[in-house]
Coordinates of all heavy atoms in Angstrom, one line a residue:
I90 N 7.0 -9.2 -162.4 CA 5.9 -8.3 -162.8 C 5.3 -8.8 -164.1 O 6.0 -9.0 -165.0 CB 6.4 -6.8 -162.9 CG1 6.8 -6.4 -161.5 CG2 5.1 -5.9 -163.3 CD1 7.4 -5.0 -161.5
S91 N 4.0 -8.9 -164.2 CA 3.3 -9.2 -165.5 C 2.0 -8.4 -165.6 O 1.7 -7.6 -164.8 CB 3.0 -10.7 -165.4 OG 2.0 -10.9 -164.4
K92 N 1.3 -8.6 -166.7 CA 0.1 -8.0 -167.1 C -1.0 -8.5 -166.2 O -2.2 -8.0 -166.1 CB -0.2 -8.0 -168.6 CG 0.9 -7.1 -169.3 CD 0.5 -7.0 -170.7 CE 1.5 -6.2 -171.6 NZ 1.2 -6.2 -173.0
D93 N -0.9 -9.8 -165.8 CA -1.9 -10.5 -165.2 C -1.4 -11.1 -163.9 O -0.3 -10.7 -163.5 CB -2.7 -11.6 -166.0 CG -1.8 -12.4 -166.6 OD1 -0.6 -12.5 -166.4 OD2 -2.2 -13.2 -167.6
G94 N -2.0 -12.1 -163.3 CA -1.5 -12.8 -162.1 C -2.2 -12.0 -160.9 O -3.2 -11.4 -160.9
V95 N -1.5 -12.2 -159.7 CA -2.1 -11.7 -158.5 C -1.8 -10.2 -158.5 O -0.8 -9.6 -158.6 CB -1.3 -12.3 -157.2 CG1 -1.8 -11.7 -156.0 CG2 -1.6 -13.8 -157.3
A96 N -3.0 -9.5 -158.1 CA -2.9 -8.0 -158.1 C -2.3 -7.5 -156.8 O -2.4 -8.2 -155.7 CB -4.3 -7.5 -158.2
V97 N -1.5 -6.5 -156.9 CA -0.8 -6.0 -155.7 C -1.3 -4.5 -155.4 O -1.3 -3.6 -156.1 CB 0.7 -5.9 -155.9 CG1 1.5 -5.4 -154.7 CG2 1.3 -7.3 -156.5
L98 N -1.7 -4.4 -154.1 CA -2.1 -3.1 -153.6 C -0.8 -2.4 -153.0 O 0.0 -3.0 -152.4 CB -3.1 -3.2 -152.5 CG -4.4 -3.9 -153.0 CD1 -5.4 -3.8 -151.9 CD2 -5.1 -3.1 -154.2
T99 N -0.6 -1.1 -153.3 CA 0.5 -0.4 -152.9 C 0.0 0.8 -152.0 O -1.2 1.0 -151.8 CB 1.3 0.2 -154.1 OG1 0.5 1.1 -154.8 CG2 2.0 -1.0 -154.9
I100 N 0.8 1.7 -151.5 CA 0.4 2.7 -150.6 C -0.7 3.6 -151.1 O -1.7 3.9 -150.4 CB 1.6 3.6 -150.1 CG1 2.4 2.8 -149.1 CG2 1.2 4.9 -149.5 CD1 3.7 3.5 -148.7
P101 N -0.6 4.0 -152.4 CA -1.7 5.0 -152.9 C -3.1 4.3 -152.9 O -4.1 4.9 -152.9 CB -1.3 5.3 -154.3 CG 0.2 5.1 -154.3 CD 0.5 4.0 -153.3
N102 N -3.2 3.0 -152.9 CA -4.4 2.2 -152.9 C -5.2 2.3 -151.6 O -6.3 2.0 -151.4 CB -4.2 0.7 -153.3 CG -3.8 0.5 -154.8 OD1 -2.5 0.3 -155.0 ND2 -4.7 0.6 -155.7
I103 N -4.3 2.5 -150.5 CA -4.8 2.5 -149.2 C -5.1 4.0 -148.7 O -4.2 4.7 -148.4 CB -3.9 1.9 -148.2 CG1 -3.5 0.5 -148.7 CG2 -4.6 1.7 -146.8 CD1 -4.6 -0.5 -149.0
Q104 N -6.4 4.4 -148.8 CA -6.8 5.7 -148.4 C -7.5 5.5 -147.0 O -7.8 4.4 -146.7 CB -7.7 6.2 -149.4 CG -7.1 6.4 -150.8 CD -8.1 6.5 -151.9 OE1 -9.3 6.7 -151.7 NE2 -7.6 6.3 -153.1
D105 N -7.5 6.5 -146.3 CA -8.0 6.4 -144.9 C -9.4 5.9 -144.8 O -10.3 6.6 -145.1 CB -7.8 7.7 -144.1 CG -7.9 7.5 -142.6 OD1 -7.6 6.4 -142.2 OD2 -8.3 8.5 -141.9
G106 N -9.6 4.7 -144.5 CA -10.9 4.0 -144.4 C -11.5 3.5 -145.7 O -12.6 3.0 -145.7
R107 N -10.7 3.5 -146.8 CA -11.2 3.0 -148.1 C -10.1 2.4 -148.9 O -9.0 2.9 -148.8 CB -11.8 4.1 -148.9 CG -12.6 3.7 -150.1 CD -13.4 4.9 -150.7 NE -12.5 5.7 -151.3 CZ -12.0 5.7 -152.5 NH1 -12.3 4.6 -153.3 NH2 -11.2 6.7 -153.1
I108 N -10.4 1.4 -149.7 CA -9.4 0.7 -150.5 C -9.7 1.0 -152.0 O -10.9 0.7 -152.4 CB -9.3 -0.8 -150.2 CG1 -8.7 -1.0 -148.8 CG2 -8.2 -1.4 -151.2 CD1 -8.7 -2.5 -148.4
N109 N -8.8 1.4 -152.7 CA -9.0 1.5 -154.2 C -8.4 0.3 -154.8 O -7.1 0.1 -154.7 CB -8.3 2.8 -154.8 CG -8.4 2.9 -156.3 OD1 -9.0 2.0 -156.9 ND2 -7.8 3.9 -156.8
Y110 N -9.2 -0.6 -155.4 CA -8.7 -1.9 -155.8 C -8.1 -1.9 -157.3 O -7.6 -2.9 -157.8 CB -9.8 -3.0 -155.8 CG -10.2 -3.3 -154.3 CD1 -11.2 -2.7 -153.7 CD2 -9.5 -4.2 -153.6 CE1 -11.6 -3.0 -152.4 CE2 -9.7 -4.6 -152.3 CZ -10.8 -4.0 -151.7 OH -11.2 -4.3 -150.5
L111 N -8.1 -0.7 -157.8 CA -7.6 -0.5 -159.2 C -6.0 -0.5 -159.2 O -5.4 0.4 -158.4 CB -8.0 0.7 -159.9 CG -9.6 0.6 -160.2 CD1 -10.0 2.0 -160.9 CD2 -9.9 -0.5 -161.1
T112 N -5.2 -1.3 -159.8 CA -3.8 -1.4 -159.7 C -3.3 -1.9 -161.0 O -3.9 -2.8 -161.7 CB -3.3 -2.4 -158.6 OG1 -1.9 -2.3 -158.6 CG2 -3.8 -3.7 -158.6
D113 N -2.1 -1.4 -161.3 CA -1.4 -1.8 -162.6 C -0.3 -2.8 -162.2 O 0.4 -3.3 -163.1 CB -0.7 -0.6 -163.3 CG -1.7 0.4 -163.8 OD1 -2.8 0.0 -164.2 OD2 -1.4 1.6 -163.7

């Protein structure tokens, strides 16, 4: 895990019909 690199989407990012691309 790092501050940069490839962003990872998790379950809370996947809303029904919409993706929230903000991730830590």
